[in-house]
Amino acid sequence: MQTPRVTLYDTTLRDGTQGTGISFSVADKIRIAEKLDEFGVHYVEGGFPGSNPKDAEFFQQVRQRVWKHAKITAFGATRRGRIAVADDPQVRLLIDAGTPAVCIVGKTWPLHVTEVFQVSLEENLAMIADTVAFLKKHGREVLYDAEHFFDSYKEDSAYSLQTVTAARDAGADLIVLCDTNGGSLPDEVGVITREVIAALGAPVGIHTHNDSGVGVANALAAVHAGAVQVQGTINGYGERVGNCNLVSVIPNLQLKLGVPLVADLTKLRELSIFIDELANVPHDIRAPFVGAAAFTHKGGQHVHAVQKLARTYEHIVPEAVGNQRVTVVSDLAGQSNILVKARELGFEFQKGAPEVAKILRAVKNLESEGYEFEAAEASFELLVRKTLGLHKPLFELKEYHCSYRRSGETRWSKCEATVKVILGGTPQYTVAEGDGPVNALDAALRKALRPFYPAIDAIKLDDYKVRIINGQEGTAAGTRVLIDSTDGHEHWGTVGVSDNIIEASWLALVDSFEYKLRKS
Ligand SMILES: [Zn+2]
């Protein structure tokens, strides 16, 4: 494969999780890495290996998987001052993570080196060179993140250049200039990036933060000046106000500057919503390119006139990023998305086919109740099959019941569930206990299904998320439950919505079993 002119480096799983309110389970991290890989991101940074059990487990699991596009990257720092690099446990963990690429951050700014690190400027250069050389010796691709590069360069360009020269001379494959505090403006980022490329004669990447509201613009300015890698996060998650938003950078580069990045840009909106769903964050309707309002036109004219007029008010064709134009009359809106998804499931329909309209109607109805399908592909597949009359339920539910008892004195608590279902023509009645209502229902339903579907034992519930949502009328608040399941090979997401958390959980649980057991 030809080396792309510009590569994408995603740090949603590391820098992104520094953001307030953003946290991912190991299962989430795996699903996100897989989604980014599928989308065509070139580097996926997984986190600091060994900094916590979650990241350690992540690196353990990614080693057993095959990646189509992405190089999984471990993140760390240069060795500590005044010790040999081989004796620094943090650097050893980077090797132990077993990733093809490693990104290390080092100090550029004399102020930080002497005041915060409390080492001499010379020792800092040795820390950079030793660490890069050590990782290279172990066969890793090494990306060097020059922290505070722009702030430092403005104050002391000579020393700043010495730090990145040390990394280059030690064999770093890429020098990444970081606007760590997010205070730089696009024109200075462009000028400085150009000067550094000329001085180093080596490839340079860009890592920006959005504190001045120009994280994306700074990244574009750097690419314009010759940078060959953009580092950022999906939806701009990150510390303080966030990182450079890859969801904006990618279409700007690909559609406007003609820089080829990913094969199928129409998956962009889906990717953006998927990550928000797993982070349990509502999708921003005003997000550039992918927000629900990005191509919404308020105009009450004749259909054709509005459609014609809309184009003159759009900077790109909405479908190019998987979005859609929303006008007052939008009976065809959304059909292309459904067509694409149906095709992925093996159904070929023509635009305007009655089946497509039927599926779209079902999706819109459920969405108005609070359903989201971007992170619940398995529920979407079931919905399509149900709408087309192709779905055979695993069982018929007669009733379920769930009780919770807790003692105020001893804090002893107990949850019990019963399930009554018809399976293979005969009624099954099972009872089970669990840590909580969902756990108890899960156990009772498994008990009933096990004799008929022994494959159920392979299904593990990996993650469970609850979001309180407001109904469209703003009346009763509903509950959306998202369940991640796995059988050790495949991961799938299911969703349930109800004004009752137990019923919402039940719906997502049943979808999970039906999705998997239908195939086994
Ligand atoms: Zn950063």
Side-chain angles (χ1 to χ4, degrees):
M1 206 170 74
Q2 222 187 343
T3 318
R5 187 174 126 211
V6 174
T7 55
L8 296 169
Y9 183 104
D10 179 275
T11 178
T12 306
L13 301 179
R14 201 264 312 170
D15 240 1
T17 58
Q18 309 281 321
T20 308
I22 305 292
S23 141
F24 297 116
S25 66
V26 176
D28 287 338
K29 291 184 84 169
I30 297 284
R31 282 184 83 196
I32 290 171
E34 284 178 343
K35 194 86 173 171
L36 291 167
D37 178 47
E38 214 174 279
F39 184 66
V41 169
H42 308 93
Y43 295 82
V44 173
E45 191 182 87
F48 301 94
S51 68
N52 60 62
K54 230 197 225 181
D55 282 7
E57 158 130 37
F58 172 81
F59 284 106
Q60 186 74 33
Q61 285 200 28
V62 293
R63 256 184 289 176
Q64 292 145 17
R65 281 161 204 270
V66 181
W67 303 90
K68 275 183 265 173
H69 302 279
K71 284 182 191 160
I72 303 295
T73 308
F75 183 85
T78 54
R79 71 158 168 85
R80 275 190 284 130
R82 297 176 288 268
I83 64 165
V85 63
D87 296 337
D88 189 325
Q90 183 261 147
V91 179
R92 290 234 67 103
L93 285 169
L94 288 173
I95 302 287
D96 295 345
T99 55
V102 173
C103 182
I104 51 162
V105 64
K107 300 283 178 203
T108 320
W109 205 351
L111 182 78
H112 265 260
V113 176
T114 52
E115 298 302 311
V116 183
F117 256 31
Q118 301 198 322
V119 297
S120 69
L121 296 180
E122 295 71 39
E123 172 67 357
N124 182 51
L125 297 179
M127 285 154 63
I128 296 168
D130 288 356
T131 317
V132 171
F134 184 77
L135 295 169
K136 285 309 294 178
K137 201 178 81 192
H138 283 82
R140 299 300 187 270
E141 179 176 343
V142 178
L143 298 91
Y144 175 72
D145 266 13
E147 197 179 41
H148 295 112
F149 189 84
F150 295 94
D151 295 322
S152 172
Y153 190 89
K154 283 180 256 178
E155 217 173 88
D156 188 342
S157 61
Y159 184 73
S160 306
L161 279 174
Q162 280 181 45
T163 63
V164 288
T165 304
R168 180 202 65 186
D169 291 348
D173 297 277
L174 186 72
I175 306 295
V176 184
L177 310 181
C178 302
D179 187 29
T180 309
N181 295 354
S184 301
L185 294 176
D187 56 344
E188 47 189 13
V189 168
V191 169
I192 293 173
T193 304
R194 192 164 281 130
E195 286 178 12
V196 174
I197 292 171
L200 280 182
V204 160
I206 183 77
H207 178 116
T208 57
H209 281 252
N210 198 36
D211 297 77
S212 304
V214 290
V216 169
N218 282 344
L220 295 177
V223 170
H224 209 67
V228 295
Q229 178 174 93
V230 177
Q231 298 195 344
T233 62
I234 301 301
N235 300 330
Y237 293 172
E239 225 167 332
R240 305 182 305 274
V241 307
N243 282 53
C244 165
N245 185 353
L246 288 180
V247 175
S248 298
V249 165
I250 294 168
N252 275 319
L253 284 176
Q254 186 151 331
L255 296 176
K256 298 180 178 180
L257 300 178
V259 179
L261 291 168
V262 295
D264 189 0
L265 195 58
T266 66
K267 298 276 187 226
L268 186 69
R269 175 170 153 83
E270 184 189 314
L271 172 71
S272 167
I273 299 176
F274 176 88
I275 306 283
D276 270 348
E277 278 297 304
L278 292 196
N280 220 349
V281 169
H283 199 241
D284 178 7
I285 63 163
R286 282 180 295 279
F289 295 97
V290 297
F295 301 97
T296 296
H297 304 283
K298 283 193 182 176
Q301 311 213 5
H302 187 267
V303 192
H304 296 294
V306 174
Q307 297 268 355
K308 225 174 177 178
L309 192 69
R311 269 198 290 279
T312 65
Y313 283 100
E314 283 168 355
H315 67 130
I316 60 157
V317 181
E319 285 77 12
V321 291
N323 211 339
Q324 62 194 49
R325 174 177 308 130
V326 182
T327 50
V328 235
V329 196
S330 67
D331 50 343
L332 275 183
Q335 283 225 5
S336 37
N337 282 349
I338 299 288
L339 281 171
V340 172
K341 291 198 155 186
R343 195 165 300 139
E344 286 170 2
L345 300 175
F347 299 104
E348 285 293 340
F349 299 120
Q350 295 303 313
K351 197 160 185 171
E355 292 92 341
V356 180
K358 213 171 151 192
I359 296 169
L360 184 60
R361 240 185 344 263
V363 170
K364 294 240 171 221
N365 279 339
L366 288 170
E367 280 178 350
S368 72
E369 286 175 29
Y371 276 82
E372 285 276 2
F373 291 100
E374 274 74 9
E377 318 85 346
S379 286
F380 181 79
E381 181 171 336
L382 288 171
L383 173 69
V384 171
R385 304 192 74 87
K386 282 174 193 167
T387 313
L388 298 175
L390 297 171
H391 177 69
K392 268 204 243 91
L394 291 182
F395 58 87
E396 184 194 332
L397 174 69
K398 284 308 201 187
E399 63 177 60
Y400 69 75
H401 164 261
C402 186
S403 72
Y404 178 69
R405 222 181 310 157
R406 177 181 182 278
S407 129
E409 280 166 26
T410 61
R411 316 200 84 203
W412 164 92
S413 73
K414 185 177 158 183
C415 225
E416 191 183 87
T418 61
V419 166
K420 236 185 252 183
V421 293
I422 307 286
L423 255 163
T426 48
Q428 308 289 323
Y429 181 65
T430 53
V431 57
E433 289 180 350
D435 295 335
V438 180
N439 189 235
L441 273 173
D442 174 45
L445 183 57
R446 279 172 192 266
K447 234 186 217 180
L449 293 176
R450 188 167 292 119
F452 299 83
Y453 304 98
I456 199 163
D457 285 331
I459 302 177
K460 198 173 132 258
L461 304 189
D462 234 358
D463 207 1
Y464 173 85
K465 283 194 187 73
V466 178
R467 168 114 48 94
I468 304 301
I469 42 169
N470 289 310
Q472 275 202 328
E473 276 74 44
T475 48
T479 306
R480 174 159 74 230
V481 166
L482 199 66
I483 291 181
D484 284 353
S485 309
T486 182
D487 59 359
H489 307 284
E490 191 194 0
H491 283 262
W492 62 96
T494 54
V495 61
V497 172
S498 165
D499 49 13
N500 178 311
I501 186 172
I502 292 180
E503 172 66 6
S505 307
W506 169 265
L507 293 171
L509 186 68
V510 170
D511 266 12
S512 172
F513 292 163
E514 294 217 302
Y515 171 78
K516 194 67 207 176
L517 297 176
R518 185 183 70 80
K519 297 179 173 177
S520 54

